Amino acid sequence: MGDRWSVEVDRGVCIGSGMCVNHAPDGFRLDSARQSHPVDPETDANERVLAAAEGCPVEAITLALADSGEVVFPPED
């Protein structure tokens, strides 16, 4: 069984660019205020969701291992 990720979007940082939806249309939705929301706050680890997090122009998306809370993205400085 693969890793599961907890997906969070900081809506105080999100600028509604829609890049996350472009990278992972099954993983993210924009609401009427153009704020991003994960479709499911916990998902199987996958390249599309990682690409969405990496492609966010303001790094509003955080991915963490669901079982331990260890941050997968963004990387620690």
Side-chain angles (χ1 to χ4, degrees), residues 31-69:
D31 64 17
S32 61
R34 291 199 52 83
Q35 294 287 289
S36 178
H37 299 268
V39 170
D40 189 340
E42 189 174 301
T43 188
D44 290 329
N46 69 77
E47 290 297 319
R48 292 179 313 281
V49 171
L50 179 59
E54 291 175 337
C56 178
V58 293
E59 291 190 355
I61 301 169
T62 301
L63 306 175
L65 294 177
D67 59 354
S68 69

